[in-house]
Amino acid sequence: SRIVALDVASGRVLGRYSATEVGDNPTLAGFDAEGRIIVTSGDRIMALVPGASETVSVVAQDDSAERFDNPLVHAASGAVYVRDVDRLLRFDLETGVGTEIATDLLPDRFGFTKPGSDWIVLPTRDRVMLLDATTGTVASQVWPPGFGPGPADIERYSGWVDGDGNTYIVLFEPQQANGTITLLSTAFPDGLQIAGPAD
């Protein structure tokens, strides 16, 4: 119910933000290019400016949202990505304008391919996507065979990222009759199947 900002070099407290200012269950999203701390709470996205003024400002709000969670800040483009139930939304931190990027998200499964990368891996109930975090556009996607509604899908999908973070290997039950191994990359908008089921 409270956020405390510290200078990691000295341990000095730079700001304290109470539930009155940031809500009862704030979630840290990250830092933007100006060094503001971006936080979500309920249907709001807020920017905290540590220092003497301890300024808190609401940069975006969506009254139709149930509750934002799993926020990601892409500082280079001034955007924050949030999930609202099963939708992925992208908000511009300067204008506060929000855009729906995808629906039917699987719980707890989207994120940057690696810290500081420009790419987000996003599995939904019927496909896996590689998003360009700068623009929110789909760079590559694949529809694994048999992917469809149901909690089992969460366990049937896994993947690895390359060193630069812009290529992702999707494994979908590779040892099963309908399994595949697919490469998601900007070079292959519909993915590239590397291997089918193993014998």
Side-chain angles (χ1 to χ4, degrees), residues 25 46 58 83 88 95 110-111 131 143-144 147 170 175 185-186:
N25 294 295
M46 294 165 286
V58 176
R83 182 177 55 204
L88 178 66
T95 65
F110 86 87
L131 294 181
W143 291 262
F147 229 46
V170 178
Q175 301 299 322
S185 165
T186 56

Side-chain angles (χ1 to χ4, degrees), residues 63-124:
D63 295 333
S64 67
E66 187 170 313
R67 184 182 184 279
F68 293 152
D69 65 6
N70 200 23
L72 302 173
V73 170
H74 186 253
S77 62
V80 61
Y81 291 83
V82 295
R83 182 177 55 204
D84 175 39
V85 188
D86 67 347
R87 301 184 305 152
L88 178 66
L89 306 172
R90 179 184 188 273
F91 285 90
D92 183 293
L93 291 173
E94 185 176 340
T95 65
V97 174
T99 306
E100 184 176 277
I101 302 297
T103 59
D104 293 329
L105 271 64
L106 295 176
D108 302 323
R109 292 300 298 264
F110 86 87
F112 290 118
T113 54
K114 60 185 298 185
S117 81
D118 292 327
W119 307 97
I120 293 172
V121 172
L122 174 67
T124 69

Side-chain angles (χ1 to χ4, degrees), residues 31-51:
F31 295 87
D32 69 2
E34 285 77 45
R36 300 182 302 174
I37 304 166
I38 306 301
V39 175
T40 64
S41 181
D43 63 356
R44 296 177 299 156
I45 299 171
M46 294 165 286
L48 316 181
V49 181

